């Protein structure tokens, strides 16, 4: 499980705008914005959070910590996408 703050941080350090992330993942911009503004783990259906997690992990982002205790990201590498 990943939090809205982790998603926003991952997107930011990866250099993607919300629109660019939407374009490459196929998720609606409003969905991404809603996830990023959620406190804790966003409510999600259809595997969208897993899609985003996998997308960022493939670009060298590791999601660390538990959602309720020290969630964050670790940067292993960068790819401009």
């Amino acid at each position: 499980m990943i939090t809205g703050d982790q998603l926003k941080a991952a997107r930011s350090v990866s250099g993607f705008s919300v629109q660019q992330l939407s374009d490459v993942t196929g998720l609606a911009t409003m969905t991404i914005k809603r996830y990023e503004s959620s406190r804790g783990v966003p409510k999600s259906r259809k595997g969208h959070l897993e899609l985003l997690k996998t997308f960022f992990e493939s670009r060298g982002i590791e999601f660390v910590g538990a959602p309720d205790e020290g969630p964050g990201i670790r940067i292993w590498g960068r790819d401009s996408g």
Side-chain angles (χ1 to χ4, degrees):
M1 295 294 216
I2 56 177
T3 67
D5 287 338
Q6 286 174 301
L7 284 173
K8 189 171 187 174
R11 181 179 59 78
S12 178
V13 300
S14 296
F16 286 91
S17 69
V18 171
Q19 183 62 58
Q20 289 169 325
L21 183 58
S22 172
D23 292 344
V24 297
T25 62
L27 298 177
T29 57
M30 290 307 295
T31 298
I32 295 167
K33 287 179 181 181
R34 182 172 48 84
Y35 288 169
E36 288 185 356
S37 67
S38 295
R39 285 190 160 291
V41 178
K43 292 182 181 177
S44 173
R45 298 179 283 166
K46 304 177 186 176
H48 292 166
L49 285 179
E50 187 60 35
L51 173 90
L52 290 166
K53 183 176 184 282
T54 301
F55 175 81
F56 287 119
E57 286 174 340
S58 74
R59 282 156 179 77
I61 303 296
E62 179 183 0
F63 295 91
V64 297
D68 59 347
E69 189 174 312
I73 63 170
R74 182 176 293 132
I75 306 164
W76 290 103
R78 284 194 171 172
D79 182 343
S80 61

